[in-house]
Each structure stands twice: as C-alpha cells, then as structure tokens.
Amino acid sequence: MQDERDKSNSIIKKDYGMLSRIYDYAEENDYIKKNFFRGFNKIEKTQSKIATKQVTPMTFEEEIRFKEYLANDTHPYKNLVIIELFTGMRLGECLALNISDVDIASNTIRVSKILTHDENHKPYIHESALSQTKDGARLVQINDVFKSNVIEAIENAKQNEDNKEKLLFCQDNGSLILESSVNSYLKRVAKEIGLSYWKQFSSHRLRHTFATKGILSGIDIVTMKDLLGHSNEKMLLNVYAHTNQALKEKSIKAISDSMSFADI
C-alpha cells in the first residue's frame, strides 16, 4: 500500500477532503456513530515527504505579453482565463459558477461552490467552505478591465442549448470542463509567448500573480485573504512568503539608491 506521504501535498489535500466528505455523509445518514474527521481527536491531514514546489508569479513583462496574447485569441477558454487572472479565483471555483452567480448590476460574482474530482477522477461540483467566508458566499468584484469578458461569457453560456445546468463555463455538449484541459491551454499560451517555464505553467500561477501584485501594491494580508478565499492569514503568508522577500529587496534597494558616500 502506498504511503500517503509519498504523494504531493495537493494530492493529500484532495484525498483528505474526499474522505472527510465520505465520513460526513456516513455520519449524517447514521451509517457510523463516530466521525473520525471531526472533533478534538480527529484524524489530521499528513504532510508530504515531497517538498512543495515553489510557484512564482509572472513578471510585469511576462504578464503584459500574456494579456496581449489573450486579447487577440479566440479560444473558448479565453474569458475564463481572463476572469481567473483579474480576480484571483481558483480554477475550480470558476468552473463551478452558474450564470445566476453573476450580477452585472452590482458588479459581483457569488462564489460558494468548487469543481473537484471523486475517487474515480470524475469531476463534480459541490458547495465548498473553502470558497466561502464565515458569513456565507464570497463576493468577488467585477471591474471595468474585464467586465466585457464576463458579459461575453454570459452570452455564450446562454446561447449553448446543451447547457442544461446553466453553467457560466462548460463544454459545447454541456458537460463540465476539465481543469487539465484549461491547464493544457495555458501551457500552450505560455509556450507561444516564450516563457521558459511553460511546461510548469498552470492556473495556480494566475492566482499567485494576482496575490503577489496585490501585496506589492499595498493590499494588507487580511484583505488579500478575503479576496482569495484563504482560511487564515498564516496560509497566505506561507504560500506567498517570497513576496515578503521581494518587498525586503525592493525596500533595501530604495534605501541604497537614496544614499551616497557623500552622506557619510
């Protein structure tokens, strides 16, 4: 039997979440008396033996090339990717959106669900505490930069007669879009614009780019936590630790540039 710790932390997280939901269901339907994934002595999620790969954001120049490529692209995933980039939403959250989750009048997107995979790797959508705040659904703001892409996505979704679930994004036959398909598209785009790390490019890099730009622009950690749907500040600091290093280097350079030997 494979040691769970031989898997990556992302796979362990998915396995743990799946098992937790199974035990919740069993407890709610009286199949078991004790839920080992709840309570004081609950089963804790193990940590992988494999070092977590550090995901770096796109540089300013890379992001410009990325946006310019998308502006002239006609791929069905274009609007999806643009919404990811400008909101910091998880790919699974974007793929779980219904048309009704978008309110153009108030410029908001209601986020409460996520697309994931079951034990047979079949995609499905479910309510997610990960995507919500303690007060309920997370509201993501739509701004003028990508509002036209949101409107176009709604129009495309409504025109698809096979879109029985009224999803904002789905395949032509109405079925769920696979995360792997979107990431394959992103790798192709990254290769086209000349990114050396195109093979490692995924939707998480878009989220990371959004967060890093926000922090470097002066958005505080608590606000960024709410925007991204992270459960706590510690997680955000751990995931984006290199951003703090970038801030330090930027500050040191600013101090050095303002000084000269004449000041001594």
Side-chain angles (χ1 to χ4, degrees), residues 26-65:
E27 182 183 31
E28 290 170 4
N29 291 274
D30 296 324
Y31 292 124
I32 59 175
K33 292 183 178 180
K34 180 175 175 58
N35 186 343
F36 294 100
F37 285 82
R38 294 285 181 267
F40 182 74
N41 292 316
K42 69 177 183 179
I43 296 174
E44 298 292 343
K45 178 162 56 64
T46 189
Q47 290 296 310
S48 173
K49 297 176 183 177
I50 305 170
T52 301
K53 294 180 181 179
Q54 182 66 50
V55 178
T56 57
M58 286 187 282
T59 65
F60 178 77
E61 292 76 14
E62 290 171 345
E63 187 183 351
I64 291 296
R65 300 208 305 270

Side-chain angles (χ1 to χ4, degrees), residues 81-135:
V81 169
I82 288 175
I83 291 172
E84 278 190 88
L85 179 63
F86 285 103
T87 65
M89 290 173 61
R90 299 175 178 88
L91 175 55
E93 293 174 337
C94 289
L95 295 176
L97 290 173
N98 289 102
I99 298 172
S100 59
D101 289 322
V102 183
D103 187 344
I104 293 297
S106 64
N107 287 322
T108 56
I109 300 174
R110 181 180 181 275
V111 184
S112 63
K113 305 182 297 295
I114 196 165
L115 180 145
T116 188
H117 297 80
D118 62 18
E119 61 273 20
N120 296 314
H121 304 290
K122 182 179 179 180
Y124 71 101
I125 293 172
H126 63 89
E127 291 289 325
S128 172
L130 187 69
S131 303
Q132 302 179 32
T133 68
K134 62 181 180 180
D135 299 318

Side-chain angles (χ1 to χ4, degrees), residues 187-206:
K187 285 178 173 59
R188 180 173 68 77
V189 174
K191 185 178 182 180
E192 288 287 333
I193 64 175
L195 300 187
S196 60
Y197 53 85
W198 66 269
K199 290 183 179 180
Q200 289 76 47
F201 202 99
S202 72
S203 61
H204 188 61
R205 198 174 297 268
L206 304 182

Side-chain angles (χ1 to χ4, degrees), residues 113-170:
K113 305 182 297 295
I114 196 165
L115 180 145
T116 188
H117 297 80
D118 62 18
E119 61 273 20
N120 296 314
H121 304 290
K122 182 179 179 180
Y124 71 101
I125 293 172
H126 63 89
E127 291 289 325
S128 172
L130 187 69
S131 303
Q132 302 179 32
T133 68
K134 62 181 180 180
D135 299 318
R138 184 167 102 252
L139 291 181
V140 173
Q141 294 296 314
I142 302 169
N143 62 46
D144 291 338
V145 176
F146 66 98
K147 187 172 183 177
S148 61
N149 299 100
V150 178
I151 293 173
E152 185 177 45
I154 293 173
E155 292 173 349
N156 292 339
K158 287 181 176 179
Q159 290 172 9
N160 186 349
E161 295 180 356
D162 292 319
N163 185 8
K164 307 301 182 184
E165 300 299 323
K166 306 299 180 185
L167 295 167
L168 185 61
F169 299 106
C170 67

Side-chain angles (χ1 to χ4, degrees), residues 17 23 45 55 84 92 101 107 113 122 143 157 175 179 184 186 195 202 216 219 224 236 247 261 263:
Y23 271 79
K45 178 162 56 64
V55 178
E84 278 190 88
D101 289 322
N107 287 322
K113 305 182 297 295
K122 182 179 179 180
N143 62 46
S175 59
E179 291 178 297
S184 292
L186 287 172
L195 300 187
S202 72
L216 291 175
I219 297 177
M224 185 56 66
L236 184 63
L247 284 170
F261 282 105
D263 297 325

